[in-house]
């Protein structure tokens, strides 16, 4: 089933494009999107500061401004409604920057060494985005012939049994020997489903082994090094975040500094 963003772009699944063997497999939660700022003529404040309007050009996109401009320029946006332009850089690609600088680099890896995957390879709408669509965007639909936004809301379940099998197949294809899990959800919804482990959350893991300690487990008959870390939002101090996880990761980075 196809899902549609505001102003008509279709949701595209984001998957690893470079399928060559990698050293590390990184598992996140769900795909993000390209965000735009919507300005109306004669108004100083934006109609929306950061509206999801298109799928990212690749998984864990870094928010490249020129790419953002090019993607947004293709959107069928009525001129009478004002202008669409890339949102503030903090809304496009923040997790990718955290991944590159605060996860891969301390491990001695670059993006070229990593196979990237999400439990759910498509974007979903958080509560703020959903409310904006219903309260503001939908008010313009009839007058300007705008499409209905059909992207589902952010679910509580991102990964079922079939998706677990697909992720295992990607892990095996990647040839990676280390699996990095970003936050609680990949532990709870993937690792607990495919491996015999004695922890159900990142906090459990921290209490048992310490934050940033590598352990080993078996998935589909093969052994892997396992490194659960905090979600990039926590690591990068992005928006609402836990100082506990931010500090724990800072300590881990300092220990791994070259």
């Amino acid at each position: 089933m196809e899902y549609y963003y505001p102003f008509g772009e279709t949701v595209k699944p984001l998957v690893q494009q470079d399928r060559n063997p990698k050293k590390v497999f990184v598992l996140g939660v769900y795909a993000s999107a390209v965000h735009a700022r919507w300005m109306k003529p004669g108004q100083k404040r934006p109609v929306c500061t950061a509206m999801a309007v298109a799928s990212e050009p690749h998984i864990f996109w870094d928010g490249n401004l020129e790419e953002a401009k090019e993607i947004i320029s293709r959107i069928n946006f009525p001129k009478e409604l004002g202008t669409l332009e890339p949102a503030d850089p903090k809304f496009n690609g923040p997790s990718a920057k955290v991944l590159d600088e605060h996860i891969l680099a301390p491990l001695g890896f670059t993006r070229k060494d990593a196979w990237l995957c999400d439990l759910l390879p498509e974007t979903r709408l958080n509560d703020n985005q959903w409310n904006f669509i219903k309260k503001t965007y939908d008010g313009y639909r009839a007058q300007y012939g705008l499409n209905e936004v059909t992207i589902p809301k952010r679910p509580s379940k991102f990964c079922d049994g079939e998706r677990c099998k697909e992720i295992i197949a990607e892990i095996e294809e990647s040839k990676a020997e280390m699996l990095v899990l970003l936050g609680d959800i990949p532990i709870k919804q993937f690792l607990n489903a495919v491996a015999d482990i004695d922890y159900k959350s990142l906090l459990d893991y921290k209490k048992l082994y310490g934050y940033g300690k590598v352990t080993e487990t078996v998935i589909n008959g093969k052994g892997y090094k396992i490194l659960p870390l905090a979600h990039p939002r926590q690591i990068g101090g992005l928006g609402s975040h836990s100082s506990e996880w931010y500090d724990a990761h800072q300590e881990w980075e300092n220990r791994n500094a070259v």
Side-chain angles (χ1 to χ4, degrees):
M1 179 178 178
E2 282 193 329
Y3 297 124
Y4 293 92
Y5 287 96
F7 310 113
E9 291 293 298
T10 57
V11 173
K12 299 173 184 176
L14 300 181
V15 298
Q16 178 71 15
Q17 294 174 350
D18 174 6
R19 313 292 285 197
N20 290 310
K22 303 298 178 186
K23 296 177 181 178
V24 61
F25 188 99
V26 179
L27 184 59
V29 182
Y30 71 112
S32 188
V34 177
H35 292 83
R37 178 168 54 241
W38 174 4
M39 299 294 298
K40 277 195 79 175
Q43 293 185 1
K44 293 183 178 180
R45 297 184 64 180
V47 179
C48 187
T49 302
M51 177 171 52
V53 293
S55 293
E56 293 184 330
H58 51 79
I59 189 170
F60 277 90
W61 175 58
D62 65 1
N64 179 277
L65 181 58
E66 294 308 311
E67 287 181 319
K69 288 179 179 178
E70 197 276 328
I71 291 167
I72 292 170
S73 72
R74 299 197 306 257
I75 294 172
N76 185 22
F77 181 77
K79 293 181 179 179
E80 299 88 343
L81 288 178
T83 58
L84 278 185
E85 56 191 30
D88 187 281
K90 68 182 179 181
F91 295 112
N92 280 323
S95 292
K97 295 163 189 171
V98 171
L99 173 67
D100 291 344
E101 298 172 13
H102 301 289
I103 296 174
L104 295 178
L107 290 170
F109 298 136
T110 68
R111 182 68 71 96
K112 291 182 179 180
D113 299 314
W115 185 295
L116 309 178
C117 181
D118 283 312
L119 296 177
L120 178 62
E122 296 180 350
T123 195
R124 293 293 183 261
L125 297 178
N126 62 33
D127 288 342
N128 288 336
Q129 293 165 340
W130 178 266
N131 289 336
F132 172 78
I133 297 300
K134 296 305 173 186
K135 293 179 180 179
T136 303
Y137 175 86
D138 282 355
Y140 291 96
R141 281 184 55 208
Q143 183 178 357
Y144 293 96
L146 304 179
N147 65 286
E148 179 184 2
V149 177
T150 55
I151 304 171
K153 291 185 71 174
R154 182 187 188 277
S156 57
K157 185 71 173 178
F158 295 90
C159 184
D160 59 15
E162 191 60 35
R163 180 59 183 154
C164 282
K165 292 177 183 178
E166 294 172 353
I167 294 170
I168 290 173
E170 280 199 54
I171 293 172
E172 294 176 347
E173 184 182 352
S174 76
K175 308 299 183 186
E177 296 182 352
M178 174 180 282
L179 174 58
V180 173
L181 300 141
L182 302 181
D184 269 340
I185 296 176
I187 296 173
K188 293 177 178 179
Q189 298 189 16
F190 174 73
L191 198 59
N192 268 276
V194 302
D196 183 15
I197 55 176
D198 55 358
Y199 51 93
K200 295 188 179 297
S201 68
L202 185 60
L203 183 59
D204 289 347
Y205 190 93
K206 181 174 180 283
K207 290 177 178 177
L208 286 169
Y209 304 107
Y211 184 84
K213 297 292 184 180
V214 176
T215 58
E216 295 186 359
T217 196
V218 174
I219 300 174
N220 200 32
K222 183 177 179 181
Y224 295 93
K225 296 177 181 178
I226 303 294
L227 177 58
L229 294 174
H231 189 275
R233 182 183 67 256
Q234 313 289 359
I235 294 171
L238 306 173
S240 177
H241 66 280
S242 162
S243 59
E244 176 186 350
W245 291 121
Y246 177 86
D247 292 343
H249 194 85
Q250 288 286 305
E251 292 175 9
W252 175 79
E253 277 197 76
N254 291 335
R255 291 197 306 269
N256 285 273
V258 178

